[in-house]
Amino acid sequence: RSTDYGTTYEKLNDKVGLKTILSYLYVCPTNKRKIMLLTDPEVESSLLISSDEGATYQKYRLNFYIHSLLFHPKKEDWILAYSQDQKLFSSVEFGRRWLLLHEGVAPNRFYWSMMESGREPDLVHLEAKTVDGHAQYITCKMQNCSEATRSKPFPGYIDHNSLIVQDDYVFVQFTSGGRPHYYVSYRRNAFTLMKLPKYSLPKDMHVISTDENQVFAAVQEWNQNDTYNLYISDTRGVYFTLALENVKSSQGLEGNVMIDLYEVAGIKGMFLANKKIDNQVKTFITYNKGRDWSLLQAPDTDLRGNPIHCLLPYCSLHLHLKVSENPYTSGNIASRDTAPSIIVASGNVGSELSESEISMFVSSDAGNTWRQIFEEEHSVLYLDQGGVLVAMKHTSLPIRHLWLSFDEGGSWSKYSFTSLPLFVDGVLGEPGEETLIMTVFGHFSHRSEWHLVKVDYKSIFDRRCAEEDYRPWQLHSQGEACIMGAKRIYRKRKSEKKCMQGKYAGAMTSKPCVCTEADFDCDYGYERHSNGQCLPAFWYNPSSLSKDCSLGQSYLNSTGYRKVVSNNCTDGVRERYTAKPQQCPGKAPQGLRIITSDGKLTAEQGHNVTFLVQLEEGDLQRSLIQVDFGDGIAVSYANLSSTEDGIKHIYQNVGIFRVTVLVKNSLGSDNAVLYLHVTCPLEHVHLSLPFVTTKNKEVNATAVLWPSQVGTLTYIWWFGNNTEPLITLEGSITFTFSVEGMNTVTVQVSTGNTILQDTKAIAVYEQFRSLRLLFSPNLDDYNPDIPEWRRDISRVVKRALVEVSNVHKWCISSKHVLVAVLPGLPTSAELFILPYQDATGEKKRTAADLEQISETLIQKLNQNLVHFDLKPGVQILVHAAHLTAAPLVDLTPNHSGSAMLMLLSIVFVGLAVFIIYKFKRKIPGLNIYAQMQNEKDQEMVSPVSQRESIPNVPQSELMSPEQLVDEKLEVQPIG
């Protein structure tokens, strides 16, 4: 620590703790005597606080690790601390005690509420993450941020890392339909959608400044990649007009966007920008906040006094506008509030900005004229309000000399500041208005420690400046003295006077000018043409200004111009260009629209839907509004007051509803239609599919939903290894398989943002056999009738069948057998015998083989040789149904007469079953087995006949647990 401007230093290790490792130092911006040190979080989490400019410290332990601090701009003891685990803490005792405000706060998205009015200084603005991962804008008091006391000024969620609180403005971003929408709140009023030109279609936006009640923003439009357009707003930050197109941008070291725009310090409304024109980058300057831009006039001579032949607009001066993020090194350009006319920058003379040919230039008249001062890049430090300029060469080599100028860069003198060459790491100007001291820090070799060199220029001056040492200087733009509607005169130290200036006094005088056309910019929706006139853009209808206007009231009718905000001109053409109040005209309703408050065309069953009625022309307040919701309910409103917050309605059913609105008054009427899709959440999807089917035969697949009515759906079907799906609007589909083997079918059901799916396997063969299996009656006592239980019993029965077959010459593997336990009671199953060929190359079973295996299994079943233990003491017998098992398809090469007779018998039996099913309610005492509410969703084969010629057997045992409720509604047991 040094108390004599770096002449001597006192070591403070013993005062902060000999083993303490420090990571950061903060100085209170409103009280320089208060200093805070942070310890290294990898070692400990502590604060060291000093109230005597760092002479003594008190140590305070923390129960969190600080990532960054934000001091209050007015209250010296108020601090916000952001932790490494995204928690925000507050302190009113300069860090001695902390209170947790909120968790899940976005980094660098927390702010103190500082408005020009100064009200609510203890209000904190923050962007926080909700439980479901959304971002939300929240405000609360710094000492009480409970759920009950929090406010949410923006209705709904915002995009992540989009909250900006700056002066009187709050900005948020919300993306919908793939497009970002930007909202602004002025003086903490309700948020309003920011209005850019209609077809700018922004991809990205950055707030440049909010000075003087106006927003200056950089917007990347839909057709831009490495450039941004500059826009300037009205006072409320709502309506934006173009200030400059195609400003160059680049990526910073941390991926942040760097826009080549520089605001000159000390002169309001003055900016420099690098604009891209036909792949060339050129530097432009404005003195009226973007209303007019011009190229920079190159110097007349170079550093050696040789003339420079540079003719505008083909040749001009171009500057690099990057500002250093390191406070101890200067960037490519520098200016100071206390030296308003002096600008120092690196650049080049030519047709475009160059990255290689870089020299240093200075302007002492606010950018009107420039002089070359060095042929290589230098860091420049301002001392004594610009009375002394210090330049040090940018180099990786050690240096001994620096350059001084006492006449605003007009001439430079070389001085030695160290006896040994020093690798310079940075330069620090001492704070204070009157100091002429700077500290250079660096190292003499790459292995040495830092060395500090104090340079004091006070001995150069023998006195303070008196009034006669100054001269008046008028700010101008190429001779035009009226800038931003005023003539501003500053005082400058005469170049030949060597005296110390002292405290900066600012401009001497400021006198308003008479308003001219140059003081007015084009209003929103208007564009400046080559003749200087502001005319409506092709997309803008000037009469739309009165769309929200009520008969009997008045509105401001734009002239196409608006005065540049903070312009101080008076009289002149002000009256001609200022918007005029005009009586609202009576109009028939036109341009009627009805939308939902969230802009979506979907709503959830049983929830409030808010409809907004909008009218481009006409007066809703004096019109009759009739709304038909399409579900048999309609409402009428006699004025707007009932619909300002939207028209709310709850739909009790799902479906697509035609919502109509009619607005009429004495001059006419208009109507609009909206088709609203009302849905309910889809909870479960079950794919109903046969277990086995024959090759090249149509198969029916059905997606069974829970609940069954959810609204508009899209079905996406995937078959086997196909890479292209089939998309339908129906939940049933027929298809064929041309290749034998196991295949998979997947259905995805899409509704809104929800997609559910189910996958089933199906065996495909040219021939197979099917047997119906029954079980001991005691199995029904243990049957919970759920899919998992059926799958387990199927596996046990399959294993028992394979084991008992191994004692016969027709030994079969598990791949030859497929068992499916069917839903309902009494418990039954379907056994499929498949002609599977295993990996060993075993010959695939023929029709005769399958017949023999079938007869063998029937014999074993009839002999009660197939059984399994359900639990200790409970054995279950498996036997064939009473009807003889037969193939589900005709396996013989020729159709015999007996086969045809059997087929006809099956048809008659099936017809009889159908008739009984249709008229079952008229036949008393008749019990129907496994009756389904929906034939399409039937999940079991009727036990009436074992020789039905239907090869597709539904896969009901693979249903999910959620489908059990649906099954119990659909399946009725035998009476």
Side-chain angles (χ1 to χ4, degrees), residues 80 88 90 101 110-113 120-126 137-143 145:
L80 295 178
L88 188 65
S90 68
L101 280 185
F110 49 91
Y111 308 86
W112 291 107
S113 179
E120 296 185 306
D122 62 339
L123 193 68
V124 178
H125 302 254
L126 56 94
Y137 168 32
I138 292 173
T139 62
C140 61
K141 300 289 186 180
M142 66 174 298
Q143 288 294 292
C145 201

Side-chain angles (χ1 to χ4, degrees), residues 26 51 164 214 221 267 291 394 449 723 818:
Y26 289 93
S51 299
I164 298 175
Q214 190 175 35
E221 301 188 7
I267 300 177
R291 198 282 189 189
H394 269 184
E449 295 182 348
T723 57
L818 179 63

Side-chain angles (χ1 to χ4, degrees), residues 45-77:
S45 182
S46 299
L47 284 177
L48 291 104
I49 297 174
S50 172
S51 299
D52 52 10
E53 296 181 321
T56 59
Y57 293 89
Q58 289 179 300
K59 194 171 187 177
Y60 296 87
R61 298 280 182 181
L62 299 175
N63 57 2
F64 62 94
Y65 294 96
I66 292 178
H67 179 270
S68 60
L69 295 179
L70 182 64
F71 291 85
H72 194 280
K74 299 290 185 183
K75 306 288 186 179
E76 62 184 57
D77 290 333

Side-chain angles (χ1 to χ4, degrees), residues 839-907:
T840 62
E842 177 191 349
K843 183 180 178 181
K844 190 166 68 174
R845 304 295 188 182
T846 64
D849 294 338
L850 298 179
E851 183 69 27
Q852 184 62 49
I853 293 174
S854 177
E855 292 177 356
T856 300
L857 290 177
I858 291 174
Q859 181 183 4
K860 300 297 182 183
L861 290 165
N862 291 336
Q863 293 174 358
N864 294 333
L865 296 178
V866 181
H867 52 78
F868 62 91
D869 291 331
L870 187 67
K871 58 186 298 186
V874 180
Q875 189 179 67
I876 306 298
L877 290 175
V878 185
H879 54 86
H882 295 303
L883 298 179
T884 304
L888 286 175
V889 294
D890 188 6
L891 302 178
T892 59
N894 299 313
H895 294 286
S896 63
S898 59
M900 292 299 295
L901 182 60
M902 178 63 71
L903 181 60
L904 290 174
S905 300
I906 292 172
V907 172

Side-chain angles (χ1 to χ4, degrees), residues 464-481:
R464 287 183 176 273
C465 294
E467 192 64 35
E468 58 270 17
D469 295 317
Y470 292 92
R471 64 179 177 86
W473 174 79
Q474 185 172 60
L475 175 67
H476 66 95
S477 170
Q478 300 303 322
E480 174 56 55

Side-chain angles (χ1 to χ4, degrees), residues 179-182 196-205 219-222:
R179 291 183 185 178
H181 302 277
Y182 301 94
L196 293 163
K198 186 173 183 179
Y199 295 107
S200 63
L201 306 177
K203 296 189 296 186
D204 189 26
M205 176 184 287
V219 176
Q220 188 171 58
E221 301 188 7
W222 65 274

